[in-house]
Amino acid sequence: MIGQHIIARFAALLGPKGVITDPDDIAPWVSDWRGRYHGAAVAILSPACVEEVAAVVALAAELGVALVPQGGNTSMVGGATPPADGSALILSLRRMNRLRSLSADDNLAICEAGVILSNLHDAAEGAGRRFPLSLGAKGSATIGGLVSTNAGGTQVLRHGTMRALVEGVEAVLPDGSIFHGLDALKKDNRGYDIKQLLIGAEGTLGVITAAALRLVPAIAARAVGWVGVASPADALALLRLTEAELGNSVEGFEVIADETLGFVLGHIPGTRSPIETRTPWHVLIEVDHADLRDPGPGERLEGALALAFERGIAIDAVVAASEAQAEAFWRIRESLSESEKAQGPALQYDISVPVARMPAFMIEAADAAMARFPGTTASSFGHLGDGNVHFHVRAPKGTSDGPGWIAAQGQAINAFVHDAVVAAGGSISAEHGIGQMKRAELARLAGPARIGALRAIKAAFDPKGLFNPGKLIPLPDEA
Amino acid sequence: MIGQHIIARFAALLGPKGVITDPDDIAPWVSDWRGRYHGAAVAILSPACVEEVAAVVALAAELGVALVPQGGNTSMVGGATPPADGSALILSLRRMNRLRSLSADDNLAICEAGVILSNLHDAAEGAGRRFPLSLGAKGSATIGGLVSTNAGGTQVLRHGTMRALVEGVEAVLPDGSIFHGLDALKKDNRGYDIKQLLIGAEGTLGVITAAALRLVPAIAARAVGWVGVASPADALALLRLTEAELGNSVEGFEVIADETLGFVLGHIPGTRSPIETRTPWHVLIEVDHADLRDPGPGERLEGALALAFERGIAIDAVVAASEAQAEAFWRIRESLSESEKAQGPALQYDISVPVARMPAFMIEAADAAMARFPGTTASSFGHLGDGNVHFHVRAPKGTSDGPGWIAAQGQAINAFVHDAVVAAGGSISAEHGIGQMKRAELARLAGPARIGALRAIKAAFDPKGLFNPGKLIPLPDEA
């Protein structure tokens, strides 16, 4: 446990607003939002500027105190939860929440780490632009956390993950030095790309204090369609067809099994299937245009769908006739997780494989899991065009003791699903990261070159192991 | 000097085809193509597959032998020239020249490191696709070298540098382990991005043996225009206007001072200015379309230029009426370096600054350099939209002893130009890398956080310093 004399040293740097020690104020930040991981910390350090962050980091290095960088605390993998033994302090970036600049001409926003995503969305919109990354936690998630976890979301198909949107970062490295990398250079070959290394490092190599982010034109018009298809392979054929016909204006492309759609229709009052025909698989597609002078996206999407019928790819399809209908289509997609949860206990996997292999993977991995674990049902839905689906294995019908089922079967099912992912050349973490949840599975599956490189980089940047201990890097007995 | 018993150990691994020891065969590969750097090596190791590379690296680690990875030997900064004392062997990737796969459906090519760029261009074209990165050395430069140096070229504005086109890499790390990262995953958050770290590492962290590369649709039609403008600021306004009007179909946008155009017209027989009015600055612009069903690019470019006249941005402009005329426009651009060279001795800088600051930089840095070094003339041309220009300072008229002038003035002028770049938030190496040429200036200007991170990563991956010694990382006495 960290003593009061140590807290006093930090308080002397940061002043009273910069150090939180009231247990009631600390409580919400020592567990993850899903309630799976529980830690302890005697204080939250909350610096107001990069110089204060650097001073905190230098003092922590001097004193040998571990730090857990934290933004909105919305990690899906326990990535921002401090160790349970109270051996670390939380380094909150939430007070660093200034939008330092926003230029519509340059399509660039410079945000401090504590800026909340939805606030950036609003600011960009106010300037006639948009920041094209969004996810469910947008009201809490911060820019620093989103960069540190290379966040994804539903707009990756067109705009990429956070990595593709970050033009520069400012960070404090574990030795207390400030990395000044906010100048947005389109070309820069001054050696190893430190920015790329910090993106997705989950706060284990230092702490990001600000980022320069790329903005894109606001959406002038959108068309949202719902298409019934026979298989994931046909869904992929539909994606390729729409890309060929509509270029890079396809902004959303989500694939849903009919069974999963059924969960939503049974669980969410007032929902109904957008199409009349019962088809094995469904596709939600959104086409956007930034320029109103172009042919309407609705007309263009209808043209592409006509071709899909002609080629036998689509069985049934509808294009939303109004914005309200478009929103109803998206509401189905956004209700999938909740509706799945209502079916009973399940294990959920955030996985990716190469796009071309995904249709076969969706069918074969589900069949294999159900055969290997009798009584379970397995299926997937999600971002087919990104090669990323949410793969779920549900407990046998009537399982009342969910935690008991997970305790008994979880490890075997985890290993089974992850082995299938690796066999398909995929990743056991598409967008959520490693955190503490997937650390042991990473150790088991990553192979010696990757594990060796991860450990070497960690030791090089943070030789004392003071940054976000226990996250991402497999423990000594884990590989 | 490395003894024959050591060469025999490598020969036992690679067979007679895999080890070159004839000094005549080695000679072309121990100096850089510009003749600025001269090294020595008693052998070139030339493995035929990744397993042989891994075996070579493991043996080199065991014996403490340094390796200089080499592709086409087209570095602009001495990045592939071995040390002069013969303490390293060249590790040539040229025998690993298989195109392992090319899928038009997946827009993906998997190339071994030794594939020559123009061969990939041809293969992509044969499949109805293209690989959108090109540069002067395309007939010699190899994929491994292009990835290891994060190469640029004239298509970066639309398609990005090599970094944006690499979907996966296979590499051998200095400990002899093989990093298997060729599966092209659009989303993968398994910790630090090793691929990004190897891109642009100039062979100092291991050796890339293959890469998965993104292809794009072939060009169906193009329009090439020449526009006279009053200033670099107006050139940038023209770029912003064409981007707003033509979306991301602007594939080339090169800015040229009237004086520089004059060098070409005076030096290259048969060239003439594409426009009749004499304007201080010129823009070469190319608009491409992949889809013939779209309105013709010529028509769209003319529409954008009409708007540029209306807004007072363009003074004079012409759109090439034929493919032959389009090629004549590009020939002017491609003759700039040669024509500049014919003016006499000059120092050349490959630099970048944030795009918005580039117009002012082009004027102010040139004026400042001419004021500080009387008699010199300074100007720049190049990729304005990438924030990357070639900045040249020419010796006073009549200077006959070029090397003498460079010896006397070079260091001071280098420092002056690089200081100006750093003051503008820019990079002293936009696309050529650091190699040995810019190592000391990187040490002087990069700042402690960046230098510390570069050194820490290098030591973590290559603790014995056996990979491309003397390149990229400042020497102990340099920072």
Side-chain angles (χ1 to χ4, degrees), chain A residues 269-287:
Chain A
T271 51
R272 63 184 197 84
S273 173
I275 55 174
E276 287 179 16
T277 319
R278 184 89 186 263
T279 59
W281 292 85
H282 300 258
V283 173
L284 173 62
I285 181 168
E286 175 165 329
V287 176

Side-chain angles (χ1 to χ4, degrees), chain A residues 352-357 422 424-427 446 449-450, chain B residues 49-51 96 98-103 106-115 143-144 147 162 165-172 178-188 190 193-196 198-199 207-214:
Chain A
S352 67
V353 303
V355 176
R357 290 182 215 165
V422 170
S427 168
R450 185 184 293 271
Chain B
C49 62
V50 62
E51 292 77 14
M96 283 189 67
R98 276 196 315 134
L99 183 64
R100 289 193 193 158
S101 67
L102 191 156
S103 164
D106 298 338
N107 283 310
L108 201 71
I110 297 185
C111 295
E112 291 187 344
V115 169
I143 296 304
V147 175
M162 200 69 178
L165 299 168
V166 176
E167 305 225 344
V169 298
E170 175 190 89
V172 176
I178 300 175
F179 178 74
H180 297 284
L182 282 179
D183 286 306
L185 300 173
K186 292 193 182 297
K187 286 164 118 174
D188 180 13
R190 283 176 292 172
D193 196 325
I194 311 301
K195 174 187 81 178
Q196 297 288 358
L198 294 171
I199 296 171
V207 55
I208 288 170
T209 52
L213 301 172
R214 185 162 65 82

Side-chain angles (χ1 to χ4, degrees), chain B residues 125-169:
Chain B
E125 200 182 313
R129 293 290 183 275
R130 87 188 145 114
F131 180 64
L133 183 138
S134 192
L135 36 71
K138 66 185 175 185
S140 314
T142 61
I143 296 304
L146 293 161
V147 175
S148 295
T149 56
N150 183 29
T154 53
Q155 292 161 311
V156 171
L157 181 64
R158 182 167 176 195
H159 299 288
T161 63
M162 200 69 178
R163 192 178 294 284
L165 299 168
V166 176
E167 305 225 344
V169 298

Side-chain angles (χ1 to χ4, degrees), chain A residues 54 57-58 61 172-178 461 467, chain B residues 448-449 452:
Chain A
V57 170
V172 175
L173 303 184
D175 63 2
S177 63
I178 300 175
F461 273 72
F467 264 79

Side-chain angles (χ1 to χ4, degrees), chain A residues 105-106 149-154 156-157 161 163 173 175 177-181 183-194 196-197 199-202 204-205 240 243-245 248 291 293-294 300 307 352-357 383 385-388 422 424-434 442 445-446 448-450 452-458 460-461 472-473, chain B residues 105-107 149-154 156-157 161 163 173 175 177-181 183-194 196-197 199-202 204-205 240 244-245 248 291 293-294 300 307 352-357 383 385-388 422 424-434 442 445-446 448-450 452-458 460-461 472-473:
Chain A
D105 277 353
D106 298 338
T149 57
N150 184 26
T154 53
V156 172
L157 180 63
T161 62
R163 193 178 293 283
L173 303 184
D175 63 2
S177 63
I178 300 175
F179 178 74
H180 297 283
D183 285 306
L185 299 174
K186 293 194 181 296
K187 289 164 117 173
D188 180 14
N189 276 345
R190 283 176 293 172
Y192 317 141
D193 196 326
I194 311 300
Q196 297 288 358
L197 197 55
I199 296 170
E202 303 184 13
T204 63
L205 300 181
R240 294 295 176 237
E243 285 177 336
E245 293 296 308
N248 71 350
D291 191 336
R293 290 164 304 182
D294 286 339
R300 296 194 71 191
L307 207 56
S352 67
V353 303
V355 176
R357 290 182 215 165
H383 325 296
D386 306 330
N388 168 212
V422 170
S427 168
I428 64 166
S429 180
E431 50 183 12
H432 295 168
I434 299 298
L442 179 71
L445 295 166
R450 185 184 293 271
L454 294 182
R455 287 207 161 120
I457 295 167
K458 171 70 174 175
F461 273 72
L472 201 163
I473 302 295
Chain B
D105 277 353
D106 298 338
N107 283 310
T149 56
N150 183 29
T154 53
V156 171
L157 181 64
T161 63
R163 192 178 294 284
L173 303 184
D175 64 0
S177 63
I178 300 175
F179 178 74
H180 297 284
D183 286 306
L185 300 173
K186 292 193 182 297
K187 286 164 118 174
D188 180 13
N189 276 344
R190 283 176 292 172
Y192 318 140
D193 196 325
I194 311 301
Q196 297 288 358
L197 198 55
I199 296 171
E202 304 185 13
T204 62
L205 301 180
R240 295 296 176 236
E245 293 297 304
N248 70 350
D291 192 337
R293 291 164 303 183
D294 287 338
R300 296 194 70 193
L307 208 56
S352 67
V353 304
V355 177
R357 291 185 213 162
H383 325 297
D386 305 330
N388 170 210
V422 170
S427 168
I428 64 165
S429 180
E431 52 182 11
H432 296 166
I434 299 298
L442 179 71
L445 295 166
R450 185 185 295 270
L454 294 181
R455 286 207 162 118
I457 295 166
K458 171 68 174 177
F461 273 71
L472 200 161
I473 303 295

